[in-house]
């Protein structure tokens, strides 16, 4: 899973745990989703009264708590004719739009979108400043399906990709992909473990934890060595692209479902 998605996911789940009165400790700079960031900040509402700007996630959570807010994550396709989301996902601020929506009783929803910028020296560990800009909500959100429907489609797609690799992608050219897809598929059948996460243990339902583990194992997009970067060719190209696109869309849907399983409303 790319860093931007992982961070947005963590902010929504940890934020919801905090907003529901649970002890989350601190979502600090050494958290896995923040470890390469110099700063993670949030723009405030335009005008007053409203939510002011925040210089870190904990301050943002506290301001949302004052409004009895709950958080949702939305992954919205860009539909850019010049470059598909699957191809732009390897670039900073590429791929689908990540929108965090805050819902408070009696108020219009508010949305934030991350913008990643390199502000540190490239030989340093923490090179990124992430600003969550206040943005308008789209006219409609993508459909949200139940876990079981997403899982069923993910099982078929991962099994199809594993079989496709065995048949069409030479292991000497791109080794390890068949095992990668089979491991992701197996994660859906294994009982959820006690993986260390930024949010409280047991906060997410078991089906969400299984789906998240499979989504992380099946995330093969976003870098020069990603699955969709030359792992197959010739007559198998159309089939490989079709299965890759289906997996890409399902992973976004899975992440959204996992994050939003932490939302309880107000």
């Amino acid at each position: 899973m790319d860093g931007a998605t992982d961070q947005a996911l963590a902010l929504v789940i940890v934020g919801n745990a905090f907003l529901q009165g649970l002890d989350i400790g601190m979502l600090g700079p050494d958290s896995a989703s923040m470890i390469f960031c110099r700063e993670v900040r949030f723009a405030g509402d335009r005008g007053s009264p409203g939510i002011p700007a925040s210089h870190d996630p904990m301050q943002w959570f506290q301001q949302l708590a004052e409004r009895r807010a709950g958080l949702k994550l939305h992954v919205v396709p860009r539909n850019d004719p010049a470059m598909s989301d699957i191809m732009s996902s390897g670039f900073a601020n590429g791929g689908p739009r990540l929108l965090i929506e805050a819902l408070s009783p009696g108020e219009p929803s508010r949305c934030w979108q991350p913008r990643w910028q390199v502000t540190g020296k490239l030989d340093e560990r923490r090179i990124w400043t992430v600003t969550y800009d206040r943005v308008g909500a789209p006219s409609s959100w993508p459909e949200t399906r139940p876990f079981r429907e997403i899982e069923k489609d993910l099982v078929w797609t991962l099994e199809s990709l594993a079989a496709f690799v065995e048949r069409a992608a030479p292991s000497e050219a791109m080794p390890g992909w068949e095992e990668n897809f089979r491991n992701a598929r197996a994660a859906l059948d294994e009982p959820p473990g006690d993986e260390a996460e930024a949010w409280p243990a047991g906060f997410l339902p078991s089906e969400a934890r299984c789906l998240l583990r499979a989504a992380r194992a099946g995330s093969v997009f976003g870098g020069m060595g990603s699955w969709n970067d030359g792992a197959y060719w010739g007559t198998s190209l159309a089939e490989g692209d079709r299965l890759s696109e289906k997996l890409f869309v399902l992973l976004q849907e899975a992440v959204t479902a996992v994050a939003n399983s932490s939302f309880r409303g107000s």
Side-chain angles (χ1 to χ4, degrees), residues 169-188:
S171 59
E172 64 273 13
M174 298 292 279
W177 290 113
E178 181 184 355
E179 181 181 6
N180 186 99
F181 292 128
R182 294 201 186 282
N183 287 341
R185 164 65 183 91
L188 291 167

Side-chain angles (χ1 to χ4, degrees), residues 14-220:
V14 175
N16 278 329
F18 178 87
L19 295 167
Q20 292 165 35
L22 300 180
D23 182 9
I24 64 168
M26 293 288 290
L27 187 65
D30 292 328
S31 300
S33 63
M34 309 286 175
I35 203 163
F36 297 110
C37 299
R38 298 165 64 88
E39 187 177 11
V40 178
R41 58 197 184 192
F42 301 80
D45 286 337
R46 302 177 184 89
S48 182
I51 297 178
S54 307
H55 59 76
D56 63 43
M58 291 304 300
Q59 184 184 35
W60 186 57
F61 294 157
Q62 290 162 357
Q63 290 168 349
L64 292 172
E66 294 173 2
R67 305 184 112 79
R68 293 184 293 139
L71 298 173
K72 286 187 174 183
L73 177 64
H74 303 282
V75 184
V76 182
R78 292 183 191 272
N79 296 320
D80 185 346
M83 183 179 291
S84 68
D85 287 350
I86 196 171
M87 295 304 295
S88 68
S89 62
F91 302 98
N93 304 307
R97 297 175 66 199
L98 298 167
L99 298 179
I100 297 179
E101 180 187 21
L103 298 115
S104 300
E107 296 184 355
S109 69
R110 296 173 169 88
C111 292
W112 284 262
Q113 179 173 321
R115 175 169 45 90
W116 288 63
Q117 296 172 286
V118 175
T119 57
K121 297 179 181 178
L122 295 182
D123 60 349
E124 296 175 341
R125 187 181 196 185
R126 301 183 186 277
I127 65 170
W128 295 99
T129 292
V130 187
T131 302
Y132 283 79
D133 296 316
R134 280 279 283 113
V135 296
S139 57
S140 63
W141 297 114
E143 176 189 4
T144 300
R145 295 192 297 160
F147 283 123
R148 289 188 179 278
E149 292 184 18
I150 300 171
E151 181 179 324
K152 180 180 178 182
D153 285 350
L154 197 55
V155 164
W156 181 89
T157 304
L158 289 168
E159 289 178 349
S160 297
L161 275 164
F164 172 79
V165 174
E166 185 178 23
R167 183 180 74 254
S171 59
E172 64 273 13
M174 298 292 279
W177 290 113
E178 181 184 355
E179 181 181 6
N180 186 99
F181 292 128
R182 294 201 186 282
N183 287 341
R185 164 65 183 91
L188 291 167
D189 291 335
E190 298 169 0
D194 295 320
E195 294 90 351
E197 299 285 3
W199 48 87
F203 180 57
L204 294 181
S206 59
E207 60 265 36
R209 303 203 303 274
C210 286
L211 192 59
L212 177 58
R213 184 169 53 192
R216 283 177 169 159
S219 183
V220 294

